Amino acid sequence: MAGALPRPARLGLADTLRVGSAGLRSRPLRVGLATLGISLGIAAMVAVLGVSSSSRADLDRRLDTLGTNLLIAAPGQTVLGERAKLPTESVQMATRIAPVYSVSATGRVNASIYRNDHIDVGNTGAIAVLAAQPGLLDTVSGGVTEGRWLNRATSTFPAVVLGARAAEKLAAHLPGTRVWLGGQWFGVVGVLGPVPLAPELDNAALVGWSAAETYLRFDAHPTTLYTRSAPSEVEAVRSVLPATVNPQSPYEVRVSRPSDALAAQRATHRTLDRLLLGLGAVALVVGGVGVANTMVISVLERRGEIGLRRALGATRGQIRLQFLMESLLLAGLGGVGGVILGVLATGGYAATQHWPVVVPLVAWLGGVVVTLPVGMIAGLYPAIRAARLTPVAALIAP
């Protein structure tokens, strides 16, 4: 329509990025220093989070060796005062508990073990004979010092693995040695090292589950059930374990109390979480102040450019958008650089301490994603201040 005022053109995304990055490209030294300041703040946050998480992972690994997530279930007594029994399928039933990732069991066998068939019957050395499942050592974090552990093959033959103290009492430290067990000869296939999580195995002779049934009249009822579960779910597993392994008589199942180390572990986690949250917030505030300072100085120095753009038809909204985009790009560059520096610092320090390198997701998000809204907030005032300048005031300003 004739006489109508022209409408200002709208800036597309590509134009906004080009205009916003132009201010950064025109002052590379200042932008580099500002980005470095932001990067150092973000790197400090990422490094603190990463080093703390790596330290926590190492602590968790050490505490796991103490059995913080190990629960032991055993039969208690019936209402008549008799010794109860766990069902033969209790191991399979325990595996149905979702947080449980390892289950194994031993069963007491009514038999005695001797160095040879000439030893007096009463001289047993108090060595317990136990039927064991192949996965027992993994569940209790045990290890073999000589020979090998029971496997699917040896579990069906008259083979025995001796605990550390049992091997000393029997003077049978070498695989291939024969011992008199349950009235017949068994071959020693391995000797265990001490098992801190299950000390009852140190003074035991362990035979395969199937072999115990075949040669020693074992009734296949477990007498000790070992479970390992996610540390955060230990109490929940403990509450459902009796009803799961013995649905008909859950009150006849005794379950060990979770380790005190687990409570200490959780208290440590809570303390570290609060510390990391505070340090991360401080780092983000420092980064935001750096962006705001850089953008305010940029507005003061570029009044002539702002006045020229306004005189050529740029609207206040376009000026605001330009400086907001500059803030976002500046914060984004600082965030990416800070994450890279923080990860490298975490990896270097963790390597010197022989820790696993763990950089939590919150550190990555805090360094890359969270810096963008921080940059936008920090650049909001400079952008508004730039948009308020009139073309005449901006052009004649010293």
Side-chain angles (χ1 to χ4, degrees):
M1 181 182 296
L5 294 176
R7 294 183 179 180
R10 293 185 177 180
L11 289 177
L13 179 60
D15 295 328
T16 304
L17 288 173
R18 186 165 50 252
V19 172
S21 61
L24 302 181
R25 294 194 303 268
S26 62
R27 294 169 176 81
L29 181 59
R30 171 163 294 177
V31 169
L33 292 175
T35 302
L36 179 61
I38 299 170
S39 297
L40 291 178
I42 298 301
M45 179 191 73
V46 174
V48 168
L49 290 172
V51 169
S52 300
S53 297
S54 299
S55 173
R56 175 163 38 181
D58 181 69
L59 175 63
D60 291 344
R61 184 175 60 182
R62 293 174 183 271
L63 288 176
D64 283 344
T65 62
L66 300 177
T68 57
N69 61 343
L70 176 68
L71 291 176
I72 301 175
Q77 291 183 336
T78 66
V79 293
L80 299 178
E82 300 176 350
R83 183 173 177 82
K85 287 186 177 182
L86 293 176
T88 56
E89 62 275 8
S90 57
V91 174
Q92 290 75 18
M93 297 169 72
T95 59
R96 300 176 183 176
I97 305 175
V100 173
Y101 62 82
S102 181
V103 182
S104 194
T106 59
R108 182 170 288 275
V109 179
N110 186 21
S112 299
I113 183 171
Y114 307 93
R115 182 63 181 84
N116 55 55
D117 56 347
H118 300 295
I119 305 296
D120 183 73
V121 175
N123 191 14
T124 62
I127 299 174
V129 179
L130 303 175
Q133 297 187 335
L136 177 64
L137 280 194
D138 291 335
T139 304
V140 299
S141 300
V144 178
T145 58
E146 297 289 344
R148 61 184 182 275
W149 175 242
L150 299 169
N151 54 37
R152 291 185 178 180
T154 55
S155 292
T156 61
F157 292 99
V160 61
V161 174
L162 300 177
R165 280 189 293 166
E168 292 181 1
K169 291 179 179 180
L170 295 171
H173 297 282
L174 298 177
T177 305
R178 293 199 309 166
V179 292
W180 187 249
L181 198 165
Q184 54 191 302
W185 292 106
F186 272 66
V188 177
V189 296
V191 176
L192 298 181
V195 186
L197 299 187
E200 64 274 10
L201 301 181
D202 294 343
N203 196 42
L206 302 145
V207 299
W209 205 267
S210 298
E213 293 181 75
T214 303
Y215 301 102
L216 302 174
R217 300 178 184 177
F218 175 50
D219 61 4
H221 287 276
T223 53
T224 306
L225 190 72
Y226 303 91
T227 68
R228 299 295 285 266
S229 55
S232 60
E233 302 293 336
V234 171
E235 282 86 356
V237 172
R238 185 173 186 265
S239 65
V240 301
L241 190 59
T244 302
V245 299
N246 192 357
Q248 294 183 345
S249 303
Y251 54 87
E252 296 179 357
V253 181
R254 296 183 292 107
V255 181
S256 64
R257 185 175 62 87
S259 170
D260 291 335
L262 182 62
Q265 179 185 26
R266 292 184 175 174
T268 303
H269 284 187
R270 287 193 296 268
T271 302
L272 285 176
D273 288 340
R274 296 191 188 101
L275 175 64
L276 298 181
L277 182 62
L279 291 175
V282 170
L284 290 177
V285 170
V286 171
V289 171
V291 173
N293 181 58
T294 300
M295 296 310 301
V296 168
I297 295 175
S298 179
V299 169
L300 295 176
E301 289 184 343
R302 296 163 62 188
R303 287 187 175 185
E305 175 192 338
I306 297 170
L308 181 59
R309 291 200 63 216
R310 293 281 283 121
L312 293 176
T315 64
R316 290 184 175 182
Q318 291 173 347
I319 298 296
R320 281 195 300 268
L321 188 59
Q322 173 189 349
F323 281 88
L324 282 176
M325 182 56 66
E326 287 190 27
S327 299
L328 288 174
L329 292 174
L330 189 63
L333 290 174
V336 172
V339 168
I340 295 174
L341 290 176
V343 171
L344 292 177
T346 299
Y349 187 79
T352 61
Q353 301 297 318
H354 305 289
W355 294 345
V357 180
V358 179
V359 180
L361 180 61
V362 66
W364 296 89
L365 295 179
V368 179
V369 178
V370 178
T371 52
L372 296 180
V374 169
M376 178 177 290
I377 295 172
L380 187 61
Y381 170 72
I384 294 175
R385 181 172 179 174
R388 286 179 178 175
L389 292 175
T390 61
V392 175
L395 288 172
I396 66 175

mmCIF file of all heavy atoms in Angstrom, residues 264-292:
data_model
loop_
_atom_site.group_PDB
_atom_site.id
_atom_site.type_symbol
_atom_site.label_atom_id
_atom_site.label_comp_id
_atom_site.label_asym_id
_atom_site.label_seq_id
_atom_site.Cartn_x
_atom_site.Cartn_y
_atom_site.Cartn_z
ATOM 1 N N ALA A 264 28.105 -46.245 56.876
ATOM 2 C CA ALA A 264 29.170 -45.251 56.726
ATOM 3 C C ALA A 264 29.317 -44.826 55.276
ATOM 4 O O ALA A 264 29.556 -43.655 54.972
ATOM 5 C CB ALA A 264 30.480 -45.826 57.243
ATOM 6 N N GLN A 265 29.165 -45.767 54.365
ATOM 7 C CA GLN A 265 29.258 -45.462 52.945
ATOM 8 C C GLN A 265 28.168 -44.484 52.528
ATOM 9 O O GLN A 265 28.418 -43.512 51.805
ATOM 10 C CB GLN A 265 29.136 -46.760 52.144
ATOM 11 C CG GLN A 265 29.206 -46.579 50.627
ATOM 12 C CD GLN A 265 28.963 -47.897 49.912
ATOM 13 O OE1 GLN A 265 28.308 -48.789 50.443
ATOM 14 N NE2 GLN A 265 29.494 -48.018 48.713
ATOM 15 N N ARG A 266 26.964 -44.696 52.993
ATOM 16 C CA ARG A 266 25.860 -43.823 52.608
ATOM 17 C C ARG A 266 26.010 -42.435 53.224
ATOM 18 O O ARG A 266 25.690 -41.431 52.586
ATOM 19 C CB ARG A 266 24.547 -44.460 53.033
ATOM 20 C CG ARG A 266 24.242 -45.719 52.226
ATOM 21 C CD ARG A 266 22.901 -46.297 52.565
ATOM 22 N NE ARG A 266 22.618 -47.422 51.699
ATOM 23 C CZ ARG A 266 21.558 -48.201 51.829
ATOM 24 N NH1 ARG A 266 20.683 -47.952 52.787
ATOM 25 N NH2 ARG A 266 21.364 -49.207 51.005
ATOM 26 N N ALA A 267 26.496 -42.380 54.470
ATOM 27 C CA ALA A 267 26.733 -41.076 55.084
ATOM 28 C C ALA A 267 27.786 -40.301 54.309
ATOM 29 O O ALA A 267 27.661 -39.087 54.099
ATOM 30 C CB ALA A 267 27.166 -41.257 56.534
ATOM 31 N N THR A 268 28.815 -40.999 53.850
ATOM 32 C CA THR A 268 29.852 -40.353 53.040
ATOM 33 C C THR A 268 29.275 -39.842 51.739
ATOM 34 O O THR A 268 29.599 -38.735 51.291
ATOM 35 C CB THR A 268 30.989 -41.352 52.764
ATOM 36 O OG1 THR A 268 31.512 -41.828 54.008
ATOM 37 C CG2 THR A 268 32.108 -40.696 51.974
ATOM 38 N N HIS A 269 28.422 -40.625 51.119
ATOM 39 C CA HIS A 269 27.800 -40.209 49.857
ATOM 40 C C HIS A 269 26.968 -38.944 50.051
ATOM 41 O O HIS A 269 27.013 -38.029 49.226
ATOM 42 C CB HIS A 269 26.926 -41.338 49.316
ATOM 43 C CG HIS A 269 27.723 -42.436 48.695
ATOM 44 N ND1 HIS A 269 27.147 -43.492 48.021
ATOM 45 C CD2 HIS A 269 29.060 -42.652 48.634
ATOM 46 C CE1 HIS A 269 28.087 -44.309 47.584
ATOM 47 N NE2 HIS A 269 29.245 -43.818 47.945
ATOM 48 N N ARG A 270 26.198 -38.894 51.135
ATOM 49 C CA ARG A 270 25.352 -37.715 51.371
ATOM 50 C C ARG A 270 26.207 -36.464 51.582
ATOM 51 O O ARG A 270 25.900 -35.387 51.073
ATOM 52 C CB ARG A 270 24.448 -37.957 52.579
ATOM 53 C CG ARG A 270 23.312 -38.928 52.320
ATOM 54 C CD ARG A 270 22.286 -38.869 53.434
ATOM 55 N NE ARG A 270 22.855 -39.312 54.700
ATOM 56 C CZ ARG A 270 22.803 -40.561 55.138
ATOM 57 N NH1 ARG A 270 22.241 -41.496 54.403
ATOM 58 N NH2 ARG A 270 23.331 -40.890 56.311
ATOM 59 N N THR A 271 27.290 -36.619 52.347
ATOM 60 C CA THR A 271 28.170 -35.477 52.588
ATOM 61 C C THR A 271 28.807 -34.996 51.296
ATOM 62 O O THR A 271 28.859 -33.785 51.022
ATOM 63 C CB THR A 271 29.259 -35.865 53.599
ATOM 64 O OG1 THR A 271 28.640 -36.312 54.812
ATOM 65 C CG2 THR A 271 30.157 -34.686 53.903
ATOM 66 N N LEU A 272 29.282 -35.919 50.478
ATOM 67 C CA LEU A 272 29.908 -35.541 49.207
ATOM 68 C C LEU A 272 28.903 -34.894 48.267
ATOM 69 O O LEU A 272 29.231 -33.946 47.550
ATOM 70 C CB LEU A 272 30.533 -36.773 48.551
ATOM 71 C CG LEU A 272 31.848 -37.273 49.163
ATOM 72 C CD1 LEU A 272 32.294 -38.561 48.477
ATOM 73 C CD2 LEU A 272 32.932 -36.210 49.048
ATOM 74 N N ASP A 273 27.675 -35.398 48.261
ATOM 75 C CA ASP A 273 26.656 -34.814 47.382
ATOM 76 C C ASP A 273 26.402 -33.351 47.738
ATOM 77 O O ASP A 273 26.280 -32.494 46.845
ATOM 78 C CB ASP A 273 25.354 -35.617 47.480
ATOM 79 C CG ASP A 273 25.467 -36.976 46.792
ATOM 80 O OD1 ASP A 273 26.376 -37.121 45.952
ATOM 81 O OD2 ASP A 273 24.676 -37.866 47.106
ATOM 82 N N ARG A 274 26.295 -33.043 49.032
ATOM 83 C CA ARG A 274 26.076 -31.655 49.443
ATOM 84 C C ARG A 274 27.273 -30.784 49.071
ATOM 85 O O ARG A 274 27.113 -29.649 48.599
ATOM 86 C CB ARG A 274 25.830 -31.598 50.954
ATOM 87 C CG ARG A 274 24.564 -32.325 51.411
ATOM 88 C CD ARG A 274 24.265 -32.003 52.860
ATOM 89 N NE ARG A 274 23.185 -32.815 53.375
ATOM 90 C CZ ARG A 274 23.356 -33.891 54.140
ATOM 91 N NH1 ARG A 274 24.571 -34.269 54.468
ATOM 92 N NH2 ARG A 274 22.314 -34.588 54.581
ATOM 93 N N LEU A 275 28.462 -31.310 49.283
ATOM 94 C CA LEU A 275 29.666 -30.553 48.954
ATOM 95 C C LEU A 275 29.737 -30.268 47.457
ATOM 96 O O LEU A 275 30.012 -29.130 47.038
ATOM 97 C CB LEU A 275 30.901 -31.343 49.400
ATOM 98 C CG LEU A 275 32.263 -30.746 49.009
ATOM 99 C CD1 LEU A 275 32.464 -29.400 49.686
ATOM 100 C CD2 LEU A 275 33.383 -31.713 49.365
ATOM 101 N N LEU A 276 29.456 -31.277 46.647
ATOM 102 C CA LEU A 276 29.537 -31.096 45.198
ATOM 103 C C LEU A 276 28.479 -30.126 44.702
ATOM 104 O O LEU A 276 28.731 -29.329 43.794
ATOM 105 C CB LEU A 276 29.368 -32.452 44.504
ATOM 106 C CG LEU A 276 30.437 -33.500 44.842
ATOM 107 C CD1 LEU A 276 30.178 -34.780 44.074
ATOM 108 C CD2 LEU A 276 31.820 -32.986 44.555
ATOM 109 N N LEU A 277 27.292 -30.171 45.291
ATOM 110 C CA LEU A 277 26.235 -29.250 44.891
ATOM 111 C C LEU A 277 26.647 -27.808 45.173
ATOM 112 O O LEU A 277 26.472 -26.911 44.340
ATOM 113 C CB LEU A 277 24.944 -29.595 45.627
ATOM 114 C CG LEU A 277 23.715 -28.739 45.290
ATOM 115 C CD1 LEU A 277 23.360 -28.889 43.813
ATOM 116 C CD2 LEU A 277 22.539 -29.125 46.163
ATOM 117 N N GLY A 278 27.227 -27.565 46.340
ATOM 118 C CA GLY A 278 27.659 -26.210 46.675
ATOM 119 C C GLY A 278 28.780 -25.724 45.780
ATOM 120 O O GLY A 278 28.753 -24.585 45.289
ATOM 121 N N LEU A 279 29.775 -26.572 45.531
ATOM 122 C CA LEU A 279 30.888 -26.163 44.673
ATOM 123 C C LEU A 279 30.434 -25.928 43.245
ATOM 124 O O LEU A 279 30.899 -24.998 42.572
ATOM 125 C CB LEU A 279 31.980 -27.241 44.710
ATOM 126 C CG LEU A 279 32.730 -27.391 46.033
ATOM 127 C CD1 LEU A 279 33.691 -28.569 45.971
ATOM 128 C CD2 LEU A 279 33.491 -26.111 46.367
ATOM 129 N N GLY A 280 29.518 -26.765 42.757
ATOM 130 C CA GLY A 280 29.008 -26.554 41.407
ATOM 131 C C GLY A 280 28.256 -25.250 41.270
ATOM 132 O O GLY A 280 28.406 -24.533 40.274
ATOM 133 N N ALA A 281 27.464 -24.907 42.276
ATOM 134 C CA ALA A 281 26.726 -23.640 42.237
ATOM 135 C C ALA A 281 27.676 -22.449 42.233
ATOM 136 O O ALA A 281 27.485 -21.476 41.491
ATOM 137 C CB ALA A 281 25.777 -23.567 43.430
ATOM 138 N N VAL A 282 28.734 -22.513 43.051
ATOM 139 C CA VAL A 282 29.707 -21.421 43.082
ATOM 140 C C VAL A 282 30.386 -21.266 41.729
ATOM 141 O O VAL A 282 30.569 -20.145 41.229
ATOM 142 C CB VAL A 282 30.749 -21.681 44.192
ATOM 143 C CG1 VAL A 282 31.907 -20.692 44.090
ATOM 144 C CG2 VAL A 282 30.101 -21.580 45.565
ATOM 145 N N ALA A 283 30.756 -22.372 41.106
ATOM 146 C CA ALA A 283 31.429 -22.304 39.805
ATOM 147 C C ALA A 283 30.519 -21.692 38.748
ATOM 148 O O ALA A 283 30.958 -20.892 37.909
ATOM 149 C CB ALA A 283 31.865 -23.704 39.381
ATOM 150 N N LEU A 284 29.238 -22.045 38.769
ATOM 151 C CA LEU A 284 28.306 -21.481 37.791
ATOM 152 C C LEU A 284 28.104 -19.982 38.024
ATOM 153 O O LEU A 284 27.997 -19.201 37.070
ATOM 154 C CB LEU A 284 26.965 -22.216 37.872
ATOM 155 C CG LEU A 284 26.980 -23.662 37.360
ATOM 156 C CD1 LEU A 284 25.617 -24.303 37.561
ATOM 157 C CD2 LEU A 284 27.365 -23.708 35.890
ATOM 158 N N VAL A 285 28.037 -19.567 39.283
ATOM 159 C CA VAL A 285 27.900 -18.136 39.572
ATOM 160 C C VAL A 285 29.118 -17.368 39.065
ATOM 161 O O VAL A 285 28.996 -16.292 38.460
ATOM 162 C CB VAL A 285 27.696 -17.917 41.085
ATOM 163 C CG1 VAL A 285 27.802 -16.436 41.420
ATOM 164 C CG2 VAL A 285 26.335 -18.454 41.514
ATOM 165 N N VAL A 286 30.303 -17.926 39.301
ATOM 166 C CA VAL A 286 31.522 -17.274 38.824
ATOM 167 C C VAL A 286 31.511 -17.159 37.296
ATOM 168 O O VAL A 286 31.859 -16.113 36.735
ATOM 169 C CB VAL A 286 32.765 -18.055 39.300
ATOM 170 C CG1 VAL A 286 34.031 -17.523 38.633
ATOM 171 C CG2 VAL A 286 32.895 -17.964 40.808
ATOM 172 N N GLY A 287 31.111 -18.232 36.626
ATOM 173 C CA GLY A 287 31.022 -18.185 35.175
ATOM 174 C C GLY A 287 30.014 -17.156 34.697
ATOM 175 O O GLY A 287 30.253 -16.431 33.722
ATOM 176 N N GLY A 288 28.855 -17.070 35.365
ATOM 177 C CA GLY A 288 27.840 -16.084 34.984
ATOM 178 C C GLY A 288 28.323 -14.662 35.163
ATOM 179 O O GLY A 288 28.066 -13.785 34.327
ATOM 180 N N VAL A 289 29.038 -14.396 36.252
ATOM 181 C CA VAL A 289 29.590 -13.050 36.467
ATOM 182 C C VAL A 289 30.589 -12.696 35.378
ATOM 183 O O VAL A 289 30.627 -11.558 34.887
ATOM 184 C CB VAL A 289 30.241 -12.974 37.864
ATOM 185 C CG1 VAL A 289 31.014 -11.673 38.030
ATOM 186 C CG2 VAL A 289 29.185 -13.103 38.948
ATOM 187 N N GLY A 290 31.381 -13.675 34.955
ATOM 188 C CA GLY A 290 32.334 -13.426 33.879
ATOM 189 C C GLY A 290 31.651 -13.072 32.576
ATOM 190 O O GLY A 290 32.071 -12.149 31.852
ATOM 191 N N VAL A 291 30.574 -13.780 32.237
ATOM 192 C CA VAL A 291 29.825 -13.469 31.015
ATOM 193 C C VAL A 291 29.212 -12.085 31.106
ATOM 194 O O VAL A 291 29.284 -11.275 30.157
ATOM 195 C CB VAL A 291 28.743 -14.537 30.770
ATOM 196 C CG1 VAL A 291 27.843 -14.129 29.609
ATOM 197 C CG2 VAL A 291 29.383 -15.888 30.488
ATOM 198 N N ALA A 292 28.583 -11.771 32.233
ATOM 199 C CA ALA A 292 27.932 -10.469 32.388
ATOM 200 C C ALA A 292 28.949 -9.334 32.282
ATOM 201 O O ALA A 292 28.700 -8.319 31.612
ATOM 202 C CB ALA A 292 27.210 -10.409 33.741
#
